[in-house]
Structure formats: structure tokens, C-alpha cells
Amino acid sequence: MPDRPPHRRVATALARFVETPVDRALVGLLALLALAIPLRLVGLSAVDLRGDEVTYFLDVRDRIDLGDYAARHFRTFGSDRQMPLPRVLGAATVRALERVAGTPVDARSVRLAFAWAGIATVVAFWLLGRRLALGLGAAPGPPALLTGLLVTVNPYHLYWSRTAHIYVFPMLFLGLAAACAVGWLHALAEERDRTRAGRAWLAGVTASTVLASYAHMSAWIASSLLWALLVGVWILRRRDKLGPWRRPFSRCAWTTTPQPRALLAALALWAASLAPWAWLFVRALARAAYDPVWDDLSNPLNRFTALWRLPFLMTWGGGWRSLLTLGLPLAALVLGWRHPRWRRPVRVAALGGLALFILLALAQSGGFFAFRYFVPLWPLLILLSTLGLLLLGERLRRLTPRPLPEGVPALALGALLALAMAPALRDLHALRGNPVELSRIAAVLDETFADDTPVLVNGMNVVRFELEPYRPERVIPTFTVVDIGLNLWEANDWRGSAEDFLQRFPDAPLVQQGRNYYEHPSIGPWDYPERYFTQQLELRNEPALRLRQRLLGASIDFYTSAVENSRAITRISYNRREDVLARARAEGRDLLALFGDGWSYRKLDDLSDWRALEERATLAVHNLSERPMRARLVVRIFTPGGRKQVQARSLAAGSRPDDAPPVDAVLIDTVLAALDEPVDWTIELTLPPGESEVELVDPLFGFGRVPLLVWQVDIEEITS
């Protein structure tokens, strides 16, 4: 008999390799990993760091000890409510990469642990689908492959897998806890709960719920419900065995067999691991240790009406994808509620999800609202989507003229869903800001404005944290008052502070990233930029805007009341020198003094803003009339210490400094004035029509390197 062609031999070998359901499930897992690994690992360093990521990045770069890291979380838990596990694991991964491979601390290295956690979540949900099918007597391959596929291509999970945010870890451990819980329930149903395998599944539930609870506080509620499910099922199981007249909490039921002790011990271990953290949280609430943070959804009604977005952004989005987002869970409920095989997981997922949503919403009602705090709902939404696809595939299988293998229609539907998510996955990989493109903002500011120009940014945290890795090289980002807490916003007159800053430094641009800190519902919109500035630059993060339009942006920063206020759109407002002169002429002014070249910028500890004279700088003085004028130039100054003698020279346009003798000189004492009472230095000038310059020189700056701080410059005509 002649040899078969090589391709026939390969096909036969593959058929033998996957001839059992277990083999087919394993091959499906390998296929999922082949898709999930590049989706989550490629281009990690291309996305801007911001917010919590930057703080974590700076901590890792400064090589904070891991023990100190965990201890700091414990000390601050009452106020920031962050658990230590994700950051500690991420920092440990960076240290290992440095030690083994010499990898520098960069955006990719700090995100690597979170990306691998996202890949491990695919494995955890593959295991959940497989254990669920085995427990119900179904073929394990299709449910395992389908559940893993939905996690692999889910935009919400992909988003958090590609950033150094903590929320991918509770997703991972809650999925693993659910898989282990299904395994233990299967063992309990077959009276194998006291075997080594049954105890292993129970140990997996314990470890997973502890890890999930140490990943994020929102997992506490989900873990509690999972333990309540296990204990409730065990009670019902024992009640059926002992008879309806026995109370489930009788001494006989709970102490005569070893398994109740193991279950109670596992539950007690989980609760004991959280006891100190729960005490810190309750004590902080009792002492009012934290204030609600002001955000766009500070009104409780707004918070709850915004929850309609949750299923869309956590699963498959809005628009025509709403058919998937709403249709798959609805199909699971309608087709599976009385299904002989799938009714129990459908009912548990639906009722458990409803209870979880209510508890999470109540927990969020008095504090900071964010979609990501509803992370425990995401596994249940994915599970319901999976069950919906399985049940729809089962119906389709019955309608086909020729019987198809079990699971094939459902897998085909899953492939179509993955194809429908391809544009969103493309946008997530194209996303270079989440959603603010900070590196792009920094580059545009450097290209547009002169050296040492102060740039007013709407938010202290944006300046000090988000822009830190991308700080512009030429301009200086700054802010007026802090952006933490509504009480500080009201106390510091944020609008007035910003307007005063922009009037004192007319060359300073304003950067606004969508969510406008200068506005508040109680006082209405802030129209000052439109009235004051002539030039506008708009930077649009198009991938982020497309994700926002599809309701697939996985952060509240993507969503506001209107698209023009989204943080995916950054507006830079500014005036050119000729715009400032045109405004002065329109206002009927004859004289105008502006900062020229050579000025640096200082922000003092009290957050006040100053232009700084170091060795030499100029003031541009404009006579806007057609006649020569005598003028008094007023420079409001302050020095933080040091004896200084500053000279001023008046220069006609095009002349050299050596051609003009000093017109004034002032000796500045060490103790000059309080910060809120700067001293006016007056210089008298004779100005021809047009522009002149006044050069200020500090010959003593090189000794102590103490700058002369200038609050404001003004000019007035001498009429007498």
C-alpha cells in the first residue's frame, strides 16, 4: 500500500491528538493564548502613563522597599481605600526584570505584571467554563473555549490589562474563585467533597477570594456572596440528607463530619485576613477621615442614572452592539431559566449579579463614584454572555438540516462576536492616551510657546502627576489652586485665581482637558477663555472618541454630559503678542507693559505664582499712541532673601544695551515684605511711539543665585 501524502499523515496525527474532549479543550486554550498574549503585550510602552500609574511609576523608579510599600497601604487605607496586592506584585515584577534581564524601569516594565494578569484571566475563565460544563455533564471543550474567547476579546478587560491599574487583578482572582467554587460544588454533588480533590477546590476558593479581596476593596462584597453561596448550598445538601425535620444549623449537621469544619475554617481564614483592613475602614468612616471628592457625578442622582452605562462598557458596547450587550444575557435568561442543564448557572449568575449590583451601588452611594468599582459585576456579565451564546447555538443546532457537532454553532457565534469587536480592539491598540494624550500635549506646548512660558493647566494632579513623565522641556506647566475637594475649590475662588493669573501673565496659555475644573453646577459655565483668548488649538484623541461613542471607554474620564467636554479633547487657548496689543488698542489704552525675554517662573510654597529675574531679562513697553510720552513703569517685586542691586536700562528698539545708561537702580534689603504685600519699584521713562525695551540686570545673582520675584508689571502716563 503506497504511503499516504504528508498532509494526510499530519491531519491523522492531529485528529488522534484531539480525539478526546479534554484534548480539544487544551488545544482551544493554546489558541486563546496565541491570541491573548499579543493583544495584551504588544505596545505597552506606547500608551501614556497617567494618574495612579504615574504615582506607582515614580515609586518603583525610586526603589521603595516592597515591605514599606505594603505598610504604606495599610497606614493610608482609611483615606484612600487601596489594597496592596497589585502594586506590590507589579513592583516585585519590575525588580525581578531589573535583576535578571537588566530591563530599565519604563512604562512597559511597570505594566508587565498587569498584562500577564490579564492573560492569566483568560486561563481562569477557560477553567470556569470547563468546570461548569463537566459539572453539568456537557462536553467541556465548547464552554471552555467560548468563555475564554469572550474574555480575550472583551474591550473592558483588554483596557485594564494594558495599563498599570489594579482592576485586572480582582477580575483574575474572582474568575479563578468562581472556577474553584464550581469544582467544589461538583464534588459536593457527587459526595466527593471530603476527598483530596474536593479539599483542593475548597483551598482554591479560599486562596482566590483572599487574593481578590487584597486586590481591590470592591471584591469584598463579591467574595462574601460567593461564600454565602457555598455555605447555602452545603446547608441545603445536608438538609436533604438528614431529613426535612432537622435544622440546618443543628449540632449534628455541623460537627459530626470533617467537611463542615473545613468549610468553616476556610471561611474564617478569608474573614480573618480582612479583619484588620475592615477595622481601618470602619474607623475611618467613624472619624470622617476622608471627604467625598468632587467630580462630574457628585450629585447622587447623577451617580445612579449614570449606571445605565455599566453593561455596555463592561461587555460589548452601545449602538448596534447593544444587540449583543443586552441580547446575550436576555437570551441566557429566557432560554436557560428552565433549561434542564443550564438553569442553575443561569439563575445563580442572574440573581447573584442583581444582588451584587445593589450592594455595590449602595456602597458607592456616599462616596466617590467610578465605573471601575463595579469590577465584580464583569465576570457575571461575561458568564451570562457565554451562556447566552451556548443556548442560542443549541437552538441553531436544532434548526440545521444536518446535525452539527455539539458546540459548533455556539463557537461560530462566538467567532462572529470576536469579529464584531475587532474595530474596538484596533482602537484600544491605537490608544495613546487614556484618554488624555499627555505626551502629545507636552510636544505641542514646546513647539508653540517660548522658553519658560508658564502654562496654566486645569488641575494640580495633572501637573504634578500625569504630566510628570512627559513634562515639556521648554514651557512650564502650572496650576492655580488644588483640585482635591469641593471645599478647597470654593474656598480658593478657582475662577478668580485663574483669571488673575492669565491677566498678570498675558503670554501664558490655558490648557483644558475636557472636564472643566473651573465650572460647577452651582455657578454655571466659565466663558472666560472664549472672551479673553484669540487663538485656539484643539487636540482630539480620535481612538478615545470612537471608544466613547461606542460606550467602550472603560473609565469615567471618557464620559461627560457632552462630547465636547470629554477628556479625549484638549483645548489650548492663547494670545499672540499682536493679539494682546490689538485688545489694548480696542480698550483705548495708550500704554502697555509686557514680559519680554529672559524671565523664568517660580511657584512658591503658598502656591503663589511669580515671574523670576535671574541675571538679565527684559520688559516690552508699548506706546500705542502717535506721540512721545512720559511714563511710570511699576514693577511689583519681592525677594525671598539676599542683598540685591538691580539696574534698569531703557532701550530704544534696535539699540544695544551698552548705548543706554541705567535709568534707575534699587537696593533691595534682605527682608523686603510679606508675600501678600509686594513692594512697587517705580521706573520713570520717556517713550517714543512703538515698542521699547527695559532691561533689568542683577549683577549679584551669581553669588547667592537668589532670584528677584516679580508679581506684576504695569505702566501709566505721567501727566504732571
Side-chain angles (χ1 to χ4, degrees):
M1 183 176 180
D3 291 338
R4 290 180 300 170
H7 68 278
R8 291 290 182 90
R9 293 199 300 269
V10 172
T12 303
L14 287 175
R16 289 176 179 173
F17 179 70
V18 296
E19 63 185 3
T20 68
V22 174
D23 293 335
R24 287 194 290 271
L26 290 174
V27 170
L29 176 60
L30 294 176
L32 291 174
L33 293 178
L35 178 61
I37 289 174
L39 279 177
R40 282 153 177 80
L41 292 182
V42 172
L44 289 180
S45 58
V47 187
D48 289 352
L49 293 164
R50 66 170 287 265
D52 293 343
E53 280 189 288
V54 175
T55 307
Y56 162 60
F57 173 80
L58 297 176
D59 287 344
V60 174
R61 189 186 64 183
D62 295 340
R63 306 189 64 79
I64 293 179
D65 182 79
L66 297 182
D68 292 341
Y69 213 139
R72 185 176 68 181
H73 277 77
F74 190 79
R75 289 193 304 269
T76 62
F77 183 72
S79 58
D80 60 22
R81 305 180 293 286
Q82 295 294 327
M83 297 299 287
L85 180 69
R87 299 302 192 205
V88 172
L89 285 179
T93 302
V94 175
R95 304 285 166 76
L97 288 171
E98 283 184 303
R99 189 175 298 112
V100 175
T103 304
V105 180
D106 57 12
R108 184 179 188 277
S109 65
V110 300
R111 288 175 170 140
L112 205 55
F114 302 81
W116 280 112
I119 295 168
T121 307
V122 175
V123 181
F125 275 77
W126 174 89
L127 179 62
L128 172 60
R130 185 172 182 273
R131 293 311 312 174
L132 193 62
L134 289 173
L136 298 173
L145 181 58
L146 195 57
T147 308
L149 176 65
L150 297 195
V151 176
T152 300
V153 302
N154 179 259
Y156 182 77
H157 184 250
L158 182 62
Y159 179 94
W160 295 116
S161 300
R162 291 174 53 79
T163 58
H165 279 72
I166 62 180
Y167 309 103
V168 70
F169 281 93
M171 294 180 194
L172 164 62
F173 294 123
L174 287 174
L176 192 59
C180 293
V182 171
W184 184 81
L185 290 173
H186 186 201
L188 181 68
E190 296 187 349
E191 300 292 342
R192 294 186 292 105
D193 52 316
R194 302 178 210 173
T195 64
R196 181 179 298 178
R199 292 193 177 99
W201 287 120
L202 187 59
V205 176
T206 307
S208 299
T209 51
V210 170
L211 291 171
S213 300
Y214 270 65
H216 195 266
M217 190 177 172
S218 63
W220 294 11
I221 296 175
S223 299
S224 301
L225 290 177
L226 184 61
W227 280 110
L229 172 67
L230 297 184
V231 172
V233 171
W234 187 90
I235 291 173
L236 294 175
R237 185 73 178 172
R238 297 298 298 173
R239 188 173 184 177
D240 291 340
K241 188 173 182 179
L242 296 172
W245 60 88
R246 293 289 186 93
R247 291 183 301 170
F249 294 100
S250 67
R251 181 178 179 84
C252 178
W254 286 92
T255 60
T256 56
T257 59
Q259 184 57 34
R261 298 192 188 101
L263 181 61
L264 287 178
L267 176 58
L269 179 62
W270 168 76
S273 70
L274 295 182
W277 301 89
W279 164 247
L280 289 174
F281 178 68
V282 172
R283 186 177 66 174
L285 286 178
R287 295 181 177 180
Y290 68 92
D291 296 324
V293 178
W294 168 48
D295 72 331
D296 291 335
L297 298 173
S298 56
N299 184 282
L301 180 61
N302 290 340
R303 282 203 303 270
F304 284 109
T305 55
L307 294 182
W308 68 269
R309 291 190 179 104
L310 278 175
F312 298 94
L313 67 91
M314 283 188 172
T315 48
W316 317 115
W320 66 265
R321 293 175 182 82
S322 300
L323 296 175
L324 301 174
T325 299
L326 301 177
L328 292 180
L330 184 63
L333 294 176
V334 173
L335 301 178
W337 195 260
R338 296 183 179 276
H339 193 280
R341 174 180 288 170
W342 299 106
R343 66 178 184 274
R344 288 179 180 174
V346 166
R347 293 177 181 181
V348 169
L351 297 178
L354 180 61
L356 187 58
F357 170 78
I358 293 172
L359 292 174
L360 288 170
L362 290 175
Q364 290 299 306
S365 62
F368 181 71
F369 171 85
F371 294 144
R372 55 187 179 268
Y373 292 166
F374 288 82
V375 159
L377 279 176
W378 177 83
L380 288 172
L381 290 170
I382 290 294
L383 183 59
L384 281 173
S385 293
T386 303
L387 295 175
L389 285 175
L390 286 170
L391 291 166
L392 286 173
E394 189 176 290
R395 286 297 179 97
L396 288 176
R397 183 168 172 262
R398 296 176 185 173
L399 297 176
T400 55
R402 297 180 60 184
L404 295 173
E406 184 178 357
V408 169
L411 292 175
L413 292 175
L416 290 176
L417 185 149
L419 187 63
M421 289 297 106
L425 302 186
R426 178 201 61 203
D427 285 333
L428 282 171
H429 268 268
L431 200 64
R432 294 299 176 260
N434 291 323
V436 182
E437 295 180 305
L438 298 163
S439 57
R440 185 181 175 197
I441 293 172
V444 169
L445 291 175
D446 273 344
E447 293 169 0
T448 309
F449 302 103
D451 291 352
D452 294 319
T453 300
V455 178
L456 186 60
V457 182
N458 58 331
M460 178 190 71
N461 282 344
V462 177
V463 175
R464 290 189 171 177
F465 299 111
E466 296 184 3
L467 271 171
E468 179 65 28
Y470 313 102
R471 186 170 295 278
E473 297 178 358
R474 298 178 57 187
V475 302
I476 305 171
T478 186
F479 56 95
T480 49
V481 298
V482 294
D483 55 348
I484 302 176
L486 178 57
N487 54 342
L488 291 175
W489 187 90
E490 293 174 336
N492 286 279
D493 184 17
W494 208 338
R495 283 186 182 181
S497 300
E499 293 175 10
D500 176 69
F501 177 95
L502 295 168
Q503 290 167 3
R504 287 192 295 112
F505 307 135
D507 56 337
L510 171 68
V511 176
Q512 293 178 283
Q513 304 157 60
R515 186 173 56 188
N516 196 335
Y517 293 109
Y518 304 108
E519 297 182 357
H520 190 265
S522 63
I523 57 176
W526 190 51
D527 63 350
Y528 182 81
E530 287 73 20
R531 291 187 287 107
Y532 182 77
F533 292 109
T534 305
Q535 309 298 322
Q536 299 280 343
L537 276 175
E538 184 176 271
L539 308 180
R540 297 174 63 89
N541 186 349
E542 296 297 344
L545 289 172
R546 286 194 293 269
L547 290 169
R548 180 194 189 280
Q549 186 179 19
R550 302 182 187 118
L551 293 181
L552 286 173
S555 169
I556 187 64
D557 288 328
F558 285 80
Y559 303 98
T560 52
S561 58
V563 67
E564 59 269 14
N565 291 330
S566 169
R567 290 197 81 194
I569 299 176
T570 300
R571 287 182 176 82
I572 302 174
S573 306
Y574 65 99
N575 285 320
R576 298 168 302 185
R577 180 63 58 93
E578 52 267 33
D579 298 324
V580 178
L581 295 176
R583 179 184 294 275
R585 289 190 180 95
E587 293 173 352
R589 299 178 60 178
D590 290 331
L591 293 169
L592 183 66
L594 302 172
F595 289 98
D597 298 329
W599 294 94
S600 61
Y601 166 80
R602 295 286 189 280
K603 179 178 281 292
L604 299 187
D605 292 339
D606 67 342
L607 302 185
S608 59
D609 307 285
W610 303 79
R611 279 300 182 92
L613 168 68
E614 295 179 348
E615 292 181 309
R616 189 182 303 268
T618 64
L619 294 172
V621 183
H622 296 268
N623 181 355
L624 304 178
S625 69
E626 300 297 330
R627 57 184 174 83
M629 299 182 66
R630 292 184 64 238
R632 184 181 296 110
L633 180 65
V634 181
V635 185
R636 190 157 292 181
I637 58 175
F638 172 74
T639 179
R643 194 172 181 85
K644 309 176 70 61
Q645 185 169 4
V646 179
Q647 298 176 342
R649 297 177 185 270
S650 177
L651 307 176
S655 64
R656 295 178 301 172
D658 295 339
D659 297 339
V663 298
D664 198 2
V666 60
L667 184 67
I668 303 173
D669 294 330
T670 302
V671 179
L672 183 67
L675 285 179
D676 56 349
E677 296 179 359
V679 170
D680 288 345
W681 175 21
T682 302
I683 305 170
E684 293 189 2
L685 304 168
T686 300
L687 300 175
E691 179 181 354
S692 301
E693 282 189 350
V694 174
E695 182 183 56
L696 305 183
V697 181
D698 180 5
L700 302 179
F701 177 76
F703 293 100
R705 304 198 67 80
V706 178
L708 175 72
L709 301 183
V710 176
W711 179 259
Q712 188 175 8
V713 295
D714 200 3
I715 192 168
E716 57 188 21
E717 184 179 3
I718 300 175
T719 57
S720 59

